[in-house]
Amino acid sequence: MVPLLAVGHACVDVYQGAVASLVPFFVAERAYGYAAVSGVVLAASLLSSVAQPVFGALTDRRPMPWLLPLSTLLGGVGIALSALGGSYGWTLAFVAVSGVGVAAYHPESARVARAVSGGSHRAMGWFSLGGNVGFALAPLLVAGVDGAGGLALAPLLVVPALVGAVLCLPVVGEGRRQPEAEGEAPVRVADDRGSFLRLSLAVVCRSVVFVGLGTFVSLYAAGRLGGGTAAGTAALVVLYAGGAVGSLLGGALADRWGRVAVARWSYLLTAGALAGLLLVPGPALYGFTALTSMGLYVPFSLQVTLAQDYLPSRIGTASGVTLGLTVSVGGLAAPLVGALADATSLRTALAPLVLMPLLAWLFFRTLPEPVTEAAASPTVAAGAPGS
């Protein structure tokens, strides 16, 4: 069931990656400036920042696996229509609709993935990998469709949503099952809200870097290296593909050294790699982009399971807040980066992002490795993989 969830996750996260992938085409066909395209990213994030925790709280009250196919369709239809909007306002509205769809999908899918995997770090890494693959495919999909016929062919972008909705149908029945449906109920561990808050602040810092790069790295690469949208698309592919590698590494490394330690060191790597991306000239930009992406994504699935273990009584809320902050806060910050880029240069505007991974590292220095329900219950620990 986890592989099916991972593929469905890819089909949904195509539409998170598609927002940034459409940016060069909005600039080319509609003459949007940096501030305007960052406003598009903000529209995708604004409602999501509110809706995702709300959907998480709702799934804590009652499983809602039917949200998976419905939200997948909503995400795809919003993006497909956003490129056809005749005005900037309609573009923002349709992108916002897509953002709500993506927001509705993630808390419930994370709950189901945890339930069917027994909380395994590796399984959650594979689930997260699906989203990274979707991100990585988005620039290729958008470039293939819009590159062939411009924004007029954008309705074809709904195809992954149709595929993902069909793949979600078998999960709907499985998702109705509670994680404690079989066997003895695990010992409950008290919520650690202080650690959850500090973890959330670290996720905020990560979000600002990831969304800022996702919005502007294609334009930055094109300006630094030439090559137009092809160079920009290549940079986005590298950014998202590096994330796929990082997700798998995160689960494997955490099994050996622990989630908190692995996340802490990955953020230090990210700060150095991001500085190299901005300062080292030439095609090395692509190598530093890959390292930055890996550093940002090694902690990704680990942060989700940490949040769930810090708030064991509110799994959906923990997932919704953590996954929501992953994109939403960065989207809120993107217009500031765009406005600074319009006033100075894109490199100058991106330079402050180097501080964000360092702040995330500081927050992780204060976090304990949580005691999980499985660890607290010998009966459950004997049968649960990788908790």
Side-chain angles (χ1 to χ4, degrees):
M1 191 59 66
V2 171
L4 197 60
L5 282 165
V7 176
H9 195 186
C11 292
V12 170
D13 276 6
V14 159
Y15 299 109
Q16 290 203 76
V19 176
S21 304
L22 285 167
V23 163
F25 295 95
F26 286 140
V27 171
E29 294 191 28
R30 299 182 181 175
Y32 288 174
Y34 290 134
V37 294
S38 61
V40 173
V41 177
L42 173 62
S45 305
L46 190 58
L47 284 179
S48 178
S49 64
V50 177
Q52 200 141 274
V54 170
F55 281 113
L58 290 174
T59 61
D60 280 331
R61 296 170 62 89
R62 177 180 300 175
M64 295 189 292
W66 52 267
L67 269 178
L68 302 185
L70 179 63
S71 60
T72 301
L73 289 174
L74 196 61
V77 169
I79 288 296
L81 293 178
S82 70
L84 297 181
S87 69
Y88 185 63
W90 279 115
T91 299
L92 298 181
F94 287 129
V95 167
V97 166
S98 178
V100 171
V102 171
Y105 176 86
H106 281 97
E108 179 65 5
S109 64
R111 183 195 67 80
V112 174
R114 180 183 175 94
V116 301
S117 70
S120 165
H121 304 328
R122 289 178 183 266
M124 289 300 289
W126 282 103
F127 170 71
S128 298
L129 173 64
N132 305 146
V133 170
F135 265 110
L137 290 177
L140 300 176
L141 179 65
V142 171
V145 172
D146 292 348
L151 295 175
L153 291 182
L156 293 176
L157 296 175
V158 78
V159 171
L162 299 176
V163 174
V166 172
L167 291 176
C168 285
L169 295 179
V171 181
V172 171
E174 185 70 22
R176 291 195 179 96
R177 302 180 184 179
Q178 296 296 319
E180 301 169 14
E182 298 179 3
E184 182 181 346
V187 176
R188 291 298 182 188
V189 179
D191 290 345
D192 184 352
R193 298 186 180 184
S195 294
F196 177 75
L197 176 60
R198 296 193 297 276
L199 173 67
S200 299
L201 292 173
V203 173
V204 166
C205 295
R206 179 200 178 276
S207 175
V208 171
V209 178
F210 183 75
V211 178
L213 282 182
T215 304
F216 296 111
V217 74
S218 59
L219 299 175
Y220 182 71
R224 283 277 306 274
L225 304 176
T229 57
T233 297
L236 272 179
V237 171
V238 170
L239 180 70
Y240 296 150
V245 176
S247 289
L248 289 182
L249 280 176
L253 294 174
D255 283 340
R256 182 168 183 178
W257 286 294
R259 291 169 290 179
V260 172
V262 168
R264 184 188 305 148
W265 287 105
S266 70
Y267 279 123
L268 281 182
L269 168 68
T270 301
L274 182 54
L277 189 161
L278 296 175
L279 298 176
V280 177
L285 177 147
Y286 292 116
F288 284 111
T289 299
L291 287 175
T292 301
S293 178
M294 290 172 61
L296 288 171
Y297 263 99
V298 163
F300 181 73
S301 64
L302 308 183
Q303 290 171 162
V304 176
T305 60
L306 280 170
Q308 293 171 337
D309 287 338
Y310 287 140
L311 289 184
S313 69
R314 297 287 185 271
I315 295 295
T317 300
S319 303
V321 170
T322 310
L323 292 168
L325 290 175
T326 298
V327 293
S328 61
V329 177
L332 296 174
L336 300 178
V337 178
L340 182 58
D342 282 333
T344 57
S345 70
L346 192 49
R347 178 189 285 185
T348 300
L350 292 175
L353 298 185
V354 177
L355 298 176
M356 294 294 104
L358 296 176
L359 289 175
W361 172 76
L362 287 174
F363 285 122
F364 262 92
R365 282 180 59 85
T366 69
L367 292 179
E369 189 72 35
V371 177
T372 65
E373 293 177 2
S377 172
T379 302
V380 175
S387 294

